[in-house]
Amino acid sequence: MDSSQSDRNDISLSQGGVSEDEILLTGKCLLELLRKNLCPGYVRDRDGILLTAPWEEADYRVGVYLYDIQDYSLVAAAAVPAGENILRFPPKALELSYLLFCNEKHRFGGLQRGQLQGVLNEIVRTLHDNPFLVREDGEKVGFSFLRESVEFKIRLWSSFNQPLQPAVYLRAAPVFVASARTRKVSRVKERDYGLQKRGAEEKG
């Protein structure tokens, strides 16, 4: 059996020790950050800020929508120990693109357009003052504002069957999705063979 075949046999799939739903956990932490800073001054109830889509018919004030997931190649991840003589394959680094918007079908719009802009202003302030978050699992995720073109925004909102409206476009990165693949490794162990230098033997 060649070495490559041996390596393949050493690889296994296991969910043990893998953090679940890293993408969802990032979204929930972003949601909690907004709730902490916008409620109750700008949004009365915490349930008024939701992970939702612009086309959803729901009673909320602010929506957080994940609209894209891409490779984040700026970070080189390494394999991590997953037990004695076991290494877990490197995680996948991602960047998540979020749309933060106000629900104009609720109580915004019309004569309350100024209130909508005030909420967006506070969202920007919150993200500017908190450029990163530490998730419950200890992973640190950074925020940056995306500068999308007007053409892109029109196409995006058209895909929702919605007219273009003011919103905050945000990137969260890096988000590491742990691998379920592990492999066995051989550890070098220290052994004492009882060898002595020749001069020491003669003196003895």
Side-chain angles (χ1 to χ4, degrees):
M1 181 183 299
D2 60 23
S3 59
S4 60
Q5 181 66 39
S6 176
D7 289 343
R8 286 194 292 270
N9 290 340
D10 286 341
I11 296 173
S12 63
L13 293 175
S14 172
Q15 293 297 328
V18 176
S19 298
E20 296 184 358
D21 300 328
E22 292 93 340
I23 293 176
L24 177 59
L25 184 57
T26 301
K28 287 182 176 180
C29 288
L30 174 57
L31 186 68
E32 184 61 29
L33 175 65
L34 294 174
R35 286 174 169 175
K36 178 180 178 181
N37 287 273
L38 270 67
C39 300
Y42 292 85
V43 179
R44 180 176 299 177
D45 301 317
R46 289 172 54 86
D47 291 340
I49 305 177
L50 299 176
L51 293 175
T52 186
W55 61 84
E56 292 289 342
E57 297 290 341
D59 187 19
Y60 64 93
R61 296 290 188 92
V62 175
V64 178
Y65 177 63
L66 173 65
Y67 69 88
D68 197 22
I69 301 173
Q70 295 191 57
D71 175 66
Y72 189 74
S73 58
L74 298 180
V75 173
V80 294
E84 186 176 358
N85 298 332
I86 297 177
L87 279 181
R88 186 173 303 282
F89 278 60
K92 183 61 180 175
L94 301 173
E95 63 176 59
L96 310 181
S97 298
Y98 288 98
L99 180 69
L100 281 59
F101 62 97
C102 295
N103 182 11
E104 294 191 350
K105 297 180 180 179
H106 184 55
R107 298 181 183 180
F108 296 111
L111 297 176
Q112 296 180 329
R113 180 66 58 176
Q115 186 178 2
L116 180 151
Q117 294 180 11
V119 172
L120 291 173
N121 187 91
E122 193 60 23
I123 291 174
V124 171
R125 189 199 321 276
T126 296
L127 297 171
H128 176 64
D129 290 345
N130 299 273
F132 67 88
L133 59 80
V134 179
R135 296 190 324 215
E136 296 173 4
D137 58 357
E139 289 290 342
K140 183 177 179 180
V141 180
F143 294 137
S144 60
F145 293 95
L146 291 170
R147 188 177 178 84
E148 304 287 13
S149 67
V150 175
E151 291 77 12
F152 170 84
K153 294 175 182 179
I154 292 175
R155 291 197 306 271
L156 181 64
W157 283 91
S158 295
S159 70
F160 308 147
N161 292 321
Q162 300 286 332
L164 177 64
Q165 70 178 62
V168 176
Y169 298 79
L170 185 73
R171 180 179 71 175
V175 174
F176 293 102
V177 175
S179 174
R181 295 192 301 168
T182 60
R183 65 176 299 170
K184 295 180 180 179
V185 293
S186 298
R187 300 294 185 184
V188 177
K189 297 182 179 180
E190 183 179 353
R191 296 183 178 180
D192 183 2
Y193 292 96
L195 298 179
Q196 295 181 340
K197 293 184 179 179
R198 184 179 299 274
E201 293 178 352
E202 294 176 352
K203 292 180 180 179

